[in-house]
Amino acid sequence: SNRKSSFKVMVTLTKGSQLLEIEAGLTPILSKGVMIILRDLTEQRRLEQAVLHNERLKELGQMAATLAH
């Protein structure tokens, strides 16, 4: 069977209590076993949150400018 599965795991490191978000994917390799791929999504998630925060600040600034006029 050539089924693919993936899951996400949140891992907390004790060094500095840094929280990492790791995506782990499993893919069967014929009858030999599985291939495991790990991706660190921590920085991507941090950047996504920063973009959302900046968009909210922009909207708030636009509302304040509208009210000021």
Side-chain angles (χ1 to χ4, degrees):
S1 162
N2 195 16
R3 293 177 44 205
K4 293 183 180 181
S5 64
S6 66
F7 57 93
K8 292 184 180 179
V9 178
M10 293 294 289
V11 179
T12 303
L13 299 179
T14 55
K15 184 178 180 180
S17 298
Q18 183 180 6
L19 185 66
L20 298 177
E21 185 171 351
I22 306 297
E23 180 182 70
L26 298 174
T27 303
I29 302 175
L30 301 174
S31 61
K32 305 276 185 195
V34 296
M35 175 174 54
I36 301 172
I37 300 172
L38 301 173
R39 286 192 326 154
D40 183 352
L41 300 176
T42 306
E43 183 67 10
Q44 179 179 339
R45 297 294 185 250
R46 189 191 68 75
L47 291 172
E48 289 170 355
Q49 291 298 319
V51 168
L52 286 173
H53 179 74
N54 287 337
E55 288 174 355
R56 288 185 197 123
L57 288 177
K58 179 182 173 185
E59 291 171 5
L60 186 59
Q62 289 172 343
M63 287 174 35
T66 301
L67 292 174
H69 289 193

